[in-house]
Amino acid sequence: MDGAAGPGEGPAREALQSLSQRLRVQEQEMELVKAALAEALRLLRLQVPPSSLQVSGTPAPPGDSFAAPPGLPPTCTPSLVSRGTQTETEVEFKTSPGPPGLSNGPPAPQGASEEPSGTQSEGGGSSSSGAGSPGPPGILRPLQPPQRADTPRRNSSSSSSPSERPRQKLSRKAISSANLLVRSGSTESRGGKDPLSSPGGPGSRRSNYNLEGISVKMFLRGRPITMYIPSGIRSLEELPSGPPPETLCLDWVYGYRGRDSRSNLFVLRSGEVVYFIACVVVLYRPGGGPGGPGGGGQRHYRGHTDCVRCLAVHPDGVRVASGQTAGVDKDGKPLQPVVHIWDSETLLKLQEIGLGAFERGVGALAFSAADQGAFLCVVDDSNEHMLSVWDCSRGVKLAEIKKYKKPKFIPCFVFLPDGDILTGDSEGNILTWGRSASDSKTPGRGGAKETYGIVAQAHAHEGSIFALCLQRDGTVLSGGGRDRRLVQWGPGLVALQEAEIPEHFGAVRAIAEGLGSELLVGTTKNALLRGDLAQGFSPVIQGHTDELWGLCTHPSQNRFLTCGHDRQLCLWDGESHALAWSIDLKETGLCADFHPSGAVVAVGLNTGRWLVLDTETREIVSDVIDGNEQLSVVRYSPDGLYLAIGSHDNVIYIYSVSSDGAKSSRFGRCMGHSSFITHLDWSKDGNFIMSNSGDYEILYWDVAGGCKQLKNRYESRDREWATYTCVLGFHVYGVWPDGSDGTDINSLCRSHNERVVAVADDFCKVHLFQYPCARAKAPSRMYGGHGSHVTSVRFTHDDSHLVSLGGKDASIFQWRVLGAGGAGPAPATPSRTPSLSPASSLDV
């Protein structure tokens, strides 16, 4: 028979898969019910005095006593503590002068039975541990309370005595907790937004301590996440507190915003080139090479709170005006657009103009020239495109007018020394506008006012003209969009010289005149070129052009690799701050990881396809497809013998890898997650995996033993991990802020020296915490600069630098790590309050 499916076989298969999924969800809900009932029974058992549970004259057998678990003080007795919410009624241990052991109490009276309970998963789901996977030692086993022969009616006024009321109240709270857990077990089918399932409201993040010394519990979207405490930690109080002694300093910004902005490139009096990307205005000092040994460097103005959209340089060549767009803060409150005027020598803000006066953003800026830059003209991004004039010294608005007709066909213009104006239009024409005497006969032209008329024109480019630049020698440069040509024009619009920009750099977006005959050109593919018309141009700054997600650092060199929605795979040299090479993936790249040898790199794509490339030759040595959904994480084991690939089809694919990393073969699959894989890490011995999923599960896998799921997560509490990038786990749960909905943290990375952990959040910030970060509401050092959600962070091989990726802003930040264990002097004593990034950075 051929392999073709018969009619109706496809729908039958889909129906079978749907039934299987429903069965799996129901099994998980039943496990939650069992766990909740067991918890309720255990709480009832602890509330009843031992004398009421023990049959008269029947001593407790010695087998019912147990020793304290590892890490627990030996002289403890359990006591109930109510924390004010239904799901927070828990057991704590309090020190007592009793014998060095904990008694589980007398056996249940005749007729009572012990209820087996499933082991709740550390994430949102649960799984039954069975007989082969007992719970952690020292956990109290649930026992049923003694049966009462004279059970009164529920509504009877004599249904309970005063001494029994607390126990019945506790029983009602335990049953309510059980119902709450049952609801939270099915939040995925309701989109994960059931407000009833969250102890503290939707999107809350709470930490509770269960059986102190054994586990902690937090909630994300109402789903309980239990994390077991390593045996070496006797108390959470002994863990480090406060922000880390290490700090970050912005060292280099890769990229330039040319794809959707104009007039974004200028040269200052100091010779520095000023441009912007994300929320940072970059002052770049060209050297002998592209940012390398010749003395090139960067300084950064970081006073803006949202993306910069335009620049203007004062006639003195020192002061700069920069305008930002409107945005929202982490609480959803709008941030108003504003203009900053600042000193390019000191990077200090001199004036803030127009806070609350602009809508949507600031689209264009210009200083007045006739009066030495005393006034600033601003055009905002409102529907009317309000044009306003401001007094720069006082920050006061002098006049404004609505631009009802937005210019659509004149992208650029320039004033000539003789007073004429050159304009470039969308059809590639350069028009010369000359002054003419007043015409009293024409309505609207009376009086002494002069008018401008077209006196000459030339067809200069194919497609729109994006930039015009008046040079010091009086000639004019024009940059074309479609033809990528750069043309020099003399008097009378006579073409003198031209050059063509290579296609992979894009079209000309902006032109600036540098020192001597040097020219600087910004392009639509976010590149900054340097050169002249005779010798051609070479890149000094390059960047991605679309959203970034994939990032990995080289295991032994200061290099890192990035990929994203622009389908480009780029290898960057962190020493020379330059692009080493790039290739076109033809598909969106979402994740990547270097082989421990550094000889090859694996890249996961959005189609379920993954590639392995030789880092020297850039050749693809392996091309494999696993499923048809996007891949979110690829990770080599520390010994390089395995490659794990996490997919959005809820599966982790495991491949065995050759010694050079060039060949691989399927070893197995880790199946058990109920949602897509988000993060994973290998153990230091290369035998186990810890993984997170989209429904906040934490699962552990025995890869060497056949890709089996480890049902008893308690046994993994002391396992050491080669990397720590999972955002959920005991060692990092303190990084989650209050009110988090589970998607606020996109990426996390522990330093190789295991001293700090870096976090990329959804609010454009990079955080630095101490490691381990296992205390609720842990303070951090916070750094701004990105203009979009930060998608990934990674430390370099020697922890000297941290690399962070901006999402929509397509920016790459390279931070220098200073202080203890870093590459610089120790900072001042940190405060317990998270510190905001400074308005400016003087580092080069």
Side-chain angles (χ1 to χ4, degrees), residues 547-552 561-569 585 587-593 602-610 629-635 646-648 677-678 746 791-792 794 805:
E547 188 170 357
L548 292 176
W549 279 97
L551 170 66
C552 61
L561 186 141
T562 58
C563 57
H565 288 204
D566 61 359
R567 304 183 178 184
Q568 296 295 310
L569 181 69
L585 294 172
E587 297 174 14
T588 298
L590 297 176
C591 50
D593 193 41
V603 182
L605 308 179
N606 68 329
T607 57
R609 178 171 166 239
W610 56 274
E629 297 194 40
Q630 70 182 50
L631 305 179
S632 51
V633 55
V634 294
R635 184 85 71 242
S647 172
H648 269 229
I677 312 302
T678 58
N746 298 314
T791 56
S792 188
R794 290 292 183 269
L805 301 184

Side-chain angles (χ1 to χ4, degrees), residues 658-682:
S658 60
S659 58
D660 60 357
K663 297 180 181 179
S664 59
S665 59
R666 173 76 70 82
F667 178 80
R669 296 188 299 173
C670 298
M671 303 179 65
H673 274 293
S674 55
S675 186
F676 57 89
I677 312 302
T678 58
H679 308 83
L680 65 85
D681 292 291
W682 286 90

Side-chain angles (χ1 to χ4, degrees), residues 336-338 353-362 378 380 382 386 388 390 397 400:
Q336 296 174 327
V338 69
I353 289 180
L355 183 63
F358 309 126
E359 292 185 23
R360 297 181 185 171
V362 179
V378 184
D380 71 7
S382 64
M386 296 294 297
S388 54
W390 298 76
K397 181 167 61 176
E400 68 176 7

Side-chain angles (χ1 to χ4, degrees), residues 151-160 168:
T151 304
R153 290 182 297 121
R154 178 178 179 183
N155 294 331
S156 174
S157 60
S158 60
S159 61
S160 61
Q168 293 186 356

Side-chain angles (χ1 to χ4, degrees), residues 153-281:
R153 290 182 297 121
R154 178 178 179 183
N155 294 331
S156 174
S157 60
S158 60
S159 61
S160 61
S161 63
S163 62
E164 293 173 344
R165 286 170 187 161
R167 181 161 62 92
Q168 293 186 356
K169 182 178 181 181
L170 177 64
S171 175
R172 290 194 298 270
K173 294 185 73 173
I175 293 172
S176 179
S177 297
N179 293 335
L180 192 61
L181 286 172
V182 171
R183 286 196 300 269
S184 69
S186 59
T187 54
E188 183 181 0
S189 63
R190 299 190 299 274
K193 295 184 179 180
D194 185 358
L196 297 178
S197 65
S198 173
S204 68
R205 196 279 295 162
R206 278 199 191 183
S207 297
N208 298 324
Y209 300 91
N210 302 325
L211 294 173
E212 188 171 333
I214 294 179
S215 68
V216 295
K217 181 184 291 185
M218 63 181 286
F219 291 86
L220 288 175
R221 284 188 175 272
R223 311 195 76 163
I225 303 171
T226 302
M227 295 157 286
Y228 292 110
I229 302 173
S231 59
I233 300 176
R234 296 185 61 86
S235 171
L236 297 181
E237 296 301 320
E238 67 186 37
L239 295 174
S241 61
E246 291 83 355
T247 61
L248 298 180
C249 179
L250 188 57
D251 183 42
W252 198 267
V253 176
Y254 299 83
Y256 153 82
R257 186 166 182 169
R259 71 185 189 278
D260 61 354
S261 63
R262 299 187 181 93
S263 299
N264 52 15
L265 180 64
F266 299 92
V267 178
L268 301 175
R269 187 179 66 182
S270 62
E272 292 174 300
V273 181
V274 58
Y275 58 94
F276 58 82
I277 183 171
C279 303
V280 177
V281 182

